[in-house]
């Protein structure tokens, strides 16, 4: 079990603040909610399975896992998101255990879970090898590891590339989230500790935005990382306008004259040796 240092705790506090900003529950429910069901089905989770959803947010994957009959523990850094998930699960009559936890230092014993999953969650932990090691550690031998991660080339990956130009350089050692959507990167992180590793690129159809500007304004109002990008340049009107234009153009590029976008993600499934 990894022990967090003072620097790790400071980094975790910054991460919590980012995801508590805005209204991520609206992003989860209005945009990415179908991915949780995709991940649960790909993991073949069923009745009686002990499942850990890491960086669970509001329970996008935890809730369908519980609905499939699994015994689910949903963990996340951000208590505000867990509270929303707890209320949603209660509305559906589902029993889920909710725990505040850092993906890089999970407070669980070795080999505890039949399945360890994460739906566009763990990818945002700053040190990829640490969180990969923790996911493998708490999964039992023969158990399932499964993730959905945005790809670098896909829409969300390109959004982070766009925002990066307007943000301060990250601390040393922090890795870009969309790397988790690169097959070679994931293979290297998991190494020889897994078998039956399957990596599939798929797309999520998003029909919420009619224009690039609608996409930009939705994420500018609701998505913590986008809000944080704007806050870092809020005293520079020219840079704010430039980011406005860049995000709207990104939206237009992926709409390509239609009313829907295709957001690429990587579906990862494996078995712990």
């Amino acid at each position: 079990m990894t022990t967090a240092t003072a620097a790790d705790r400071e980094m975790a506090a910054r991460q919590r603040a980012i995801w508590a900003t805005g209204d991520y529950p609206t992003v989860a429910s209005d945009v990415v909610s179908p991915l949780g069901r995709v991940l649960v089905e790909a993991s073949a989770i069923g009745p009686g399975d002990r499942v850990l959803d890491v960086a669970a947010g509001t329970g996008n994957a935890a809730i369908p896992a519980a609905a499939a009959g699994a015994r689910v523990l949903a963990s996340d850094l951000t208590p505000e998101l867990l509270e929303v998930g707890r209320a949603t699960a209660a509305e559906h009559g589902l029993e889920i255990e909710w725990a505040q936890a850092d993906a890089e230092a999970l407070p669980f014993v070795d080999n505890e879970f039949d399945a360890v999953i994460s739906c566009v969650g763990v990818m945002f932990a700053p040190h990829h090898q640490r969180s990969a090691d923790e996911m493998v550690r708490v999964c039992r031998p023969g158990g399932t590891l499964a993730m959905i991660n945005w790809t670098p080339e896909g829409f969300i990956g390109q959004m982070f590339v766009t925002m990066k130009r307007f943000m301060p350089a990250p601390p040393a050692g922090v890795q870009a989230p969309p790397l988790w959507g690169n097959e070679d990167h994931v293979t290297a992180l998991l190494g020889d500790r897994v078998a039956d590793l399957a990596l599939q690129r798929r797309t999520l159809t998003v029909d919420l935005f009619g224009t690039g500007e609608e996409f930009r304004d939705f994420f500018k109002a609701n998505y913590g990382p986008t809000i944080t990008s704007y806050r870092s340049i809020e005293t520079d009107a020219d840079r704010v306008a430039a980011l406005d234009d860049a995000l709207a153009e990104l939206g237009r590029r992926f709409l390509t004259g239609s009313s829907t976008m295709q957001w690429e993600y990587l579906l990862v499934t494996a078995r712990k040796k």
Side-chain angles (χ1 to χ4, degrees):
M1 187 178 300
T2 303
T3 302
T5 66
D8 293 336
R9 289 190 290 272
E10 182 180 349
M11 176 71 71
R14 288 199 294 268
Q15 291 287 321
R16 280 196 300 272
I18 289 172
W19 292 105
T21 300
D23 187 2
Y24 184 74
T26 291
V27 178
S29 63
D30 291 2
V31 184
V32 302
S33 60
L35 295 181
R37 295 187 295 275
V38 170
L39 184 61
V40 170
E41 290 173 5
S43 307
I45 289 169
D49 286 339
R50 179 65 168 150
V51 176
L52 174 64
D53 185 3
V54 186
T58 57
N60 191 36
I63 288 172
R71 296 175 295 128
V72 181
L73 194 160
S75 68
D76 198 274
L77 262 180
T78 309
E80 293 88 344
L81 301 183
L82 294 175
E83 287 303 314
V84 173
R86 183 180 286 111
T88 303
E91 290 173 4
H92 288 83
L94 298 171
E95 292 188 10
I96 297 174
E97 184 178 355
W98 303 86
Q100 185 176 0
D102 186 343
E104 296 185 0
L106 294 171
F108 312 117
V109 300
D110 296 358
N111 309 319
E112 185 173 350
F113 298 94
D114 298 308
V116 180
I117 64 175
S118 185
C119 185
V120 294
V122 163
M123 64 178 291
F124 292 101
H127 307 102
H128 296 183
Q129 192 64 63
R130 291 186 199 174
S131 49
D133 291 348
E134 285 293 272
M135 290 185 70
V136 173
R137 179 183 66 79
V138 301
C139 185
R140 68 165 175 81
T144 298
L145 292 157
M147 305 177 73
I148 284 178
N149 305 313
W150 303 120
T151 66
E153 301 84 3
F155 181 75
I156 296 296
Q158 289 302 298
M159 184 181 73
F160 275 88
V161 169
T162 300
M163 295 189 303
K164 181 180 179 180
R165 304 200 305 267
F166 296 87
M167 298 183 70
V174 172
Q175 295 173 283
L179 281 174
W180 267 108
N182 175 273
E183 293 88 344
D184 291 341
H185 187 68
V186 174
T187 300
L189 290 173
L190 298 177
D192 62 2
R193 298 172 295 178
V194 302
D196 304 327
L197 177 62
L199 304 164
Q200 293 183 324
R201 291 198 177 212
R202 298 186 181 183
T203 56
L204 171 68
T205 299
V206 176
D207 59 3
L208 188 64
F209 313 113
T211 67
E213 287 77 10
E214 287 180 13
F215 145 71
R216 178 199 64 207
D217 293 345
F218 179 87
F219 271 70
K220 189 175 179 179
N222 296 301
Y223 192 60
T226 307
I227 294 168
T228 301
S229 297
Y230 275 98
R231 286 181 176 175
S232 72
I233 58 172
E234 61 187 354
T235 59
D236 188 332
D238 289 340
R239 285 177 63 76
V240 169
L243 180 54
D244 275 345
D245 291 344
L247 288 175
E249 174 55 31
L250 175 68
R252 287 192 292 272
R253 176 154 58 92
F254 275 80
L255 281 165
T256 59
S258 74
S259 60
T260 62
M261 296 176 172
Q262 300 297 324
W263 293 8
E264 186 180 64
Y265 62 88
L266 184 69
L267 173 63
V268 180
T269 56
R271 178 176 55 81
K272 180 177 173 179
K273 288 183 178 178

